[in-house]
Amino acid sequence: MNKLQSIILLLIVSSCTFAQKNILDKYAIGFYNMENLFDTEDDPTKNDDDFTPNGSYNWTEHKYQSKLKNMAQVVSDLGTDYTSKGCAFVGVAEIENAKVLKDLCAQPSLKSKGFKYIHFEGVDKRGIDCALLYNPSLFQVNIKKTKLVPYRPVEPGFKTRGFLTVDGTLAGEHVVVIVCHLPSRLKGDDTGRVVGAQQVDSLKRTLLKTDPTTKIFIMGDMNDDPLDRAMTSKGLHGKEKIDNVKQGDLFNPFISIFKSGTGTLIHEGKWNLFDQILITPNLLNQRNKKDASTLKYHSSQIFRRDYLVHTNGRHKGNPKRTHSGGEWQNGYSDHLPVVMYLTKNSIKSSK
């Protein structure tokens, strides 16, 4: 083989060789308190009379269908500020049953993405549960390890939402999502929420003891702000700064967001930030040790769109609810949703 033939052969081989390059894949996850997503049927085992055609909200099929359409719009839009794929999964609170989730996933905007749901019937007297909506093309569920963990009550006879624990795979990695709706503030102290947060913290520790590589997302309506006891020293041990997160702690990016003066719901003219997502240290790049080869935290946000808030009047800027002042507003929720973004390098071939 002469020199010219060697050069030609080299060019042919080079043209057929696939070069490898790193592609930054982006992922989004979210949480949304849907504020009373009820069907219109009376369930004699639940306190759902208000959400029937003859109830106080005159909850008709028309209102129900409008609520489904609105909720689907939000879930479909979540996460699209950073990735066109939207959210891989969205934890939700205040949904009545599997029927409303089935109806929700049948909405065109979610059906086109193939959204599915995970739900177990809870014991809450109001009839509201937690659930997980997910896009199976982005998140795969291990149903055998997915369960509802009952809430450990502070006092005898007290029943409320449990903790939905979903085991699955995101970006090819083992993750667990714990969806919470901690007890309300009606009793005037935080004991119930502290106990609930401690129970979730114990769940997290057990999971990590079994498999330290498990990446855990704890999300929900905590009924507490990010700096309250249940979220920090007495419960989930959330930390504001990435480099301050140690073994046993969680990173809570919503501490910084809360300190900026904003939130997800308004009470008596003041913002609270009850809706949060916390993550384990193995999802963080700490102390300049950058590892883009595994799933890592990128950023977080309170998800805002003009359609989610009042744009004028005395409630300007407030979340636009389904009902307000006893009147149907055809709104969304008294809570704004939250989103977390993640990244991971993947090696792909190109000519």
Side-chain angles (χ1 to χ4, degrees):
M1 182 182 295
N2 59 36
K3 186 176 181 180
L4 179 60
Q5 289 174 321
S6 297
I7 293 173
I8 293 172
L9 179 61
L10 180 61
L11 290 172
I12 293 172
V13 171
S14 298
S15 67
C16 295
T17 300
F18 287 86
Q20 289 185 331
K21 63 178 181 178
N22 288 329
I23 302 295
L24 187 65
D25 289 332
K26 304 171 184 178
Y27 300 90
I29 65 172
F31 175 80
Y32 191 28
N33 181 324
M34 294 188 161
E35 191 191 17
N36 299 322
L37 179 54
F38 280 77
D39 61 28
T40 62
E41 300 172 12
D42 179 31
D43 184 339
T45 68
K46 297 177 180 179
N47 185 15
D48 67 345
D49 292 352
D50 288 340
F51 291 92
T52 59
N54 296 321
S56 62
Y57 291 119
N58 301 121
W59 195 240
T60 62
E61 186 65 22
H62 171 68
K63 290 182 178 180
Y64 174 54
Q65 292 300 326
S66 295
K67 177 81 170 182
L68 288 171
K69 180 181 177 181
N70 289 349
M71 296 297 95
Q73 179 184 8
V74 179
V75 174
S76 181
D77 287 349
L78 278 178
T80 55
D81 286 345
Y82 191 59
T83 169
S84 60
K85 296 177 290 188
C87 282
F89 55 80
V90 179
V92 294
E94 293 200 17
I95 56 95
E96 184 183 12
N97 51 35
K99 178 186 183 302
V100 301
L101 291 165
K102 181 180 179 181
D103 292 345
L104 179 61
C105 289
Q107 295 295 302
S109 59
L110 298 185
K111 186 177 180 179
S112 64
K113 296 181 179 181
F115 262 83
K116 297 185 178 181
Y117 64 88
I118 296 292
H119 168 259
F120 297 91
E121 193 65 43
V123 296
D124 186 87
K125 292 180 179 180
R126 281 184 57 203
I128 54 174
D129 297 328
C130 294
L132 190 79
L133 301 167
Y134 68 98
N135 183 336
S137 69
L138 299 172
F139 179 65
Q140 298 76 48
V141 175
N142 181 352
I143 196 65
K144 292 182 179 179
K145 292 185 177 181
T146 294
K147 58 186 177 181
L148 181 68
V149 179
Y151 174 76
R152 187 174 66 245
V154 179
E155 54 190 64
F158 180 72
K159 296 180 180 180
T160 191
R161 290 82 55 172
F163 307 106
L164 178 63
T165 304
V166 181
D167 187 287
T169 302
L170 177 65
E173 300 183 29
H174 180 213
V175 305
V176 172
V177 189
I178 302 175
V179 187
C180 314
H181 190 178
L182 294 182
S184 73
R185 295 188 159 206
L186 293 178
K187 290 184 177 294
D189 64 49
D190 65 356
T191 304
R193 294 185 296 283
V194 167
V195 169
Q198 289 172 347
Q199 187 175 352
V200 173
D201 182 66
S202 179
L203 284 173
K204 176 208 70 177
R205 292 174 186 273
T206 298
L207 290 166
L208 290 175
K209 186 176 181 180
T210 303
D211 179 5
T213 67
T214 304
K215 295 184 173 180
I216 302 175
F217 302 90
I218 297 173
M219 59 173 59
D221 176 354
M222 307 302 185
N223 271 308
D224 263 333
D225 289 319
L227 291 172
D228 288 334
R229 296 195 316 155
M231 306 309 299
T232 54
S233 60
K234 295 298 182 181
L236 292 177
H237 304 282
K239 296 294 176 66
E240 177 183 4
K241 304 295 184 182
I242 286 178
D243 285 343
N244 291 340
V245 179
K246 297 181 173 57
Q247 198 72 22
D249 294 335
L250 294 170
F251 174 57
N252 188 351
F254 292 93
I255 294 177
S256 296
I257 294 174
F258 181 60
K259 284 184 174 181
S260 74
T262 188
T264 54
L265 70 157
I266 286 184
H267 178 64
E268 296 181 350
K270 177 184 175 184
W271 281 107
N272 290 106
L273 209 169
F274 291 171
D275 308 271
Q276 302 163 52
I277 305 173
L278 297 84
I279 56 177
T280 45
N282 53 12
L283 280 155
L284 303 173
N285 276 318
Q286 293 180 297
R287 295 175 181 85
N288 297 319
K289 295 179 181 178
K290 305 301 181 183
D291 178 13
S293 65
T294 63
L295 199 62
K296 295 296 180 180
Y297 171 79
H298 179 272
S299 58
S300 298
Q301 68 175 160
I302 297 173
F303 185 80
R304 298 176 186 272
R305 289 288 189 272
D306 285 346
Y307 65 75
L308 287 172
V309 298
H310 291 279
T311 55
N312 50 56
R314 65 188 184 94
H315 296 301
K316 184 178 180 179
N318 289 15
K320 187 177 181 182
R321 305 181 62 173
T322 305
H323 288 90
S324 180
E327 295 184 358
W328 184 56
Q329 302 291 315
N330 194 21
Y332 294 79
S333 173
D334 57 343
H335 291 243
L336 296 174
V338 293
V339 183
M340 179 176 285
Y341 296 106
L342 310 151
T343 58
K344 179 180 180 177
N345 271 353
S346 63
I347 299 175
K348 296 184 180 181
S349 298
S350 62
K351 290 185 179 181

